[in-house]
Amino acid sequence: PPPAAGLGAASPLVMAHPTATPLPSHTENEGYLITMRMLTRCTRVYRRDVSAAEAFFPECADAAALKQLPPTKIIVFEKDPLRDEGILFYRRLLAAGARAACEQHMGLLHGAGLAKPIVPEFSSQIVSSLAAFASAC
């Protein structure tokens, strides 16, 4: 298949070991829908093959690998424990010279973009933002 023209990431899980180096959003937003314990369990799903585990997480990528990514749009939510991971990923992409954009939606929890029945106006806004980004790629 052809390479992706762009990458969209909402609430990205960036860190291979999120509890080893806690970020402010890990504690500020603990328990808003998800917990750090839940996130640690999620990372284990991707770390079954320990020898290849770190290659999966953007936190572990070097600048050369990050620069090879297609244009990337990251969406984070204020009340999400993963907020700062997404922002960290965005800043690392920029530092590597990759094309990246990041937007934060205030007052929303993890996964708010998928909760159309609960917050339809925000869900539609997020989908529209990703669609506009995809069209520009």
Side-chain angles (χ1 to χ4, degrees):
L7 172 66
S11 297
L13 179 60
V14 174
M15 300 174 74
H17 308 283
T19 54
T21 311
L23 297 172
S25 66
H26 291 163
T27 54
E28 290 169 12
N29 299 322
E30 174 72 12
Y32 284 116
L33 188 63
I34 59 174
T35 65
M36 289 309 298
R37 184 175 180 190
M38 292 166 66
L39 291 173
T40 300
R41 287 184 178 175
C42 287
T43 63
R44 286 187 194 135
V45 169
Y46 301 112
R47 289 191 286 133
R48 290 184 188 209
D49 177 3
V50 176
S51 63
E54 272 60 35
F56 178 83
F57 291 92
E59 167 198 37
C60 302
D62 63 17
L66 291 172
K67 190 170 179 151
Q68 297 299 315
L69 289 175
T72 303
K73 171 85 173 231
I74 298 166
I75 297 176
V76 297
F77 304 101
E78 180 188 19
K79 298 297 183 185
D80 184 350
L82 293 176
R83 178 195 69 214
D84 294 343
E85 292 192 36
I87 294 169
L88 175 70
F89 183 28
Y90 166 68
R91 289 180 178 153
R92 289 198 62 226
L93 286 166
L94 291 181
R99 224 174 102 205
C102 183
E103 64 185 53
Q104 177 173 238
H105 292 269
M106 304 305 289
L108 296 178
L109 306 175
H110 178 83
L114 303 174
K116 190 169 183 168
I118 299 167
V119 284
E121 65 282 359
F122 292 113
S123 182
S124 295
Q125 183 182 55
I126 292 162
V127 169
S128 294
S129 175
L130 284 171
F133 173 76
S135 294
C137 289

